[in-house]
Every structure is written in C-alpha cells, then in structure tokens.
Amino acid sequence: MREIPWFEYDEDDLNVAQRAFADVLAERACSWLVDPDDTAVVPPAHPLDRELIVWLDIVDPQRNQGILTVGAHFNGTVVHADELHNQLFSLPEEATEFSFTAAGDPAELAERTAAWFEAILVRPLVRCEWQHAGKTYAVRYEFADTGRGLIESFSDALAPRRLRKRLAAEGIVRGRGRINRAHLGEPDLITSVRGDHADE
C-alpha cells in the first residue's frame, strides 16, 4: 500500500517555486503529530493564477471531529496565512489571531510557514464536555492557554430540564447548537486533544 505523503501534489500542477514551497512543508510535516490526509495542497485554479493554497485540518482523533482549518496562500514571493474557511479555503475578511504574512524566496517562506503551523499545533487544545444522565449535552473545543473557543455544540434534548428553563427565563439565545460557555458553568470533563494541558 502506498504511503501518503504530507502536502501531496501532482508535479504537473505546480511550477518550480510552488514545488519548492510544498516540498519544504512536506519535509517539516513528517515530524508533526498529524495525519497526512489532514494536510493538502490546492494548485492554482487557472494557468495564469500563481496562487497556491496549502492547508492543515486540526482534528480531534477520538471523535473524528474537525476543529480548525489553518493554511497559507502563496504567490511565489509572498505568503498570507490565517484561519481558513473549511470548505472554500479562503482567507478571512478580517485577520484573526493566527494571521501571518511574510515575503521572501520559496524555501525561506516555506520554513517560516512551517514554523507558523508548528506554533499552532503545540498550543494546548482541550475538549470541554457538560454531561447529564450519562450523556453529553454540550461540547466546546478551546485553547487551554487563552480559553479561546473554536467550535461548540449544545443539545436541547439532552440538556437538564432545569438548565433549559433557566436559559429560557434569562433569554439566552441558542443558535445552531451553540451557547456561550459562561452560561453552562464549569465543564464536567476536560480532555486534552493536543499539546500539554496542565489539568491532565
């Protein structure tokens, strides 16, 4: 069975600068604790378009849950990196805390982009869970070092009746399975997903 490489691409799809960029990333990624399938190279859509996109999905392997997509747009001399849309792989309209921009030659930019990916991967990421009657009714993934939430879910059907009544009385709006962590109190379970978490 063929071993899948990190940041895999077809040589015919990329020019020399793009291949140099992707090759350095692939070499660095060999030491990352990520599945090669969670990395990707998106070649330019048109021959005249010089922008290459590389991305990495950060996943909770225990739940097979995608948590965060980060990546870089590289045009040969400049790289713009940030959190990406998890389907379109576009950069956000407003830069996030992950934003990174640099200029230089392809190999140098790839090294700096790899270091950027690595800085995100070592941040302590945890899964917080709130449980009732043996079932999880709310989940939130967050960085343990800052408390910044990434994704969350809330199930009305599984939540305690008292909590649902309190949230309704307080006018707390729940949308798309989400609810502010502050309204739930401390989680019943905190599990480390990536990095070192002091409570583990």
Side-chain angles (χ1 to χ4, degrees):
M1 191 165 92
R2 184 178 71 91
E3 184 177 329
I4 299 171
W6 287 265
F7 295 105
E8 183 177 23
Y9 65 86
D10 289 329
E11 287 201 16
D12 293 342
D13 291 339
L14 307 185
N15 63 31
V16 173
Q18 292 163 347
R19 288 197 298 270
F21 184 81
D23 288 346
V24 170
L25 283 179
E27 185 177 341
R28 288 279 291 268
C30 291
S31 64
W32 302 349
L33 296 177
V34 297
D35 190 304
D37 281 337
D38 294 330
T39 67
V41 172
V42 181
H46 306 287
L48 297 179
D49 182 5
R50 297 183 352 177
E51 189 166 79
L52 174 76
I53 302 172
V54 296
W55 54 264
L56 163 68
D57 272 336
I58 296 177
V59 176
D60 177 353
Q62 290 182 329
R63 301 290 177 87
N64 196 27
Q65 169 70 58
I67 302 167
L68 176 68
T69 300
V70 289
H73 289 220
F74 169 68
N75 71 4
T77 58
V78 177
V79 65
H80 297 285
D82 207 328
E83 179 176 359
L84 300 184
H85 188 286
N86 66 0
Q87 293 175 338
L88 303 176
F89 309 112
S90 54
L91 291 162
E93 290 185 12
E94 293 186 16
T96 74
E97 67 182 276
F98 304 110
S99 181
F100 161 72
T101 301
D105 66 71
E108 174 194 357
L109 288 176
E111 291 286 356
R112 294 179 67 183
T113 302
W116 174 78
F117 277 123
E118 290 162 0
I120 295 171
L121 289 170
V122 299
R123 290 183 64 182
L125 178 63
V126 296
R127 181 180 66 244
C128 302
E129 298 177 66
W130 288 262
Q131 300 177 332
H132 173 67
K135 295 186 177 179
T136 298
Y137 66 87
V139 177
R140 174 182 164 99
Y141 289 91
E142 61 184 42
F143 283 122
D145 55 351
T146 62
R148 183 204 195 271
L150 297 171
I151 62 168
E152 56 189 26
S153 63
F154 181 90
S155 170
D156 268 314
L158 298 177
R161 185 169 180 269
R162 180 180 295 177
L163 174 64
R164 285 184 281 130
K165 289 181 70 174
R166 178 174 61 80
L167 295 175
E170 294 175 3
I172 305 302
V173 177
R174 299 184 301 278
R176 297 185 181 178
R178 298 179 182 175
I179 190 164
N180 191 312
R181 182 191 204 277
H183 298 291
L184 299 178
E186 289 302 308
D188 297 301
L189 187 63
I190 300 177
T191 305
S192 178
V193 176
R194 297 195 66 87
D196 294 324
H197 174 48
D199 293 344
E200 287 294 326

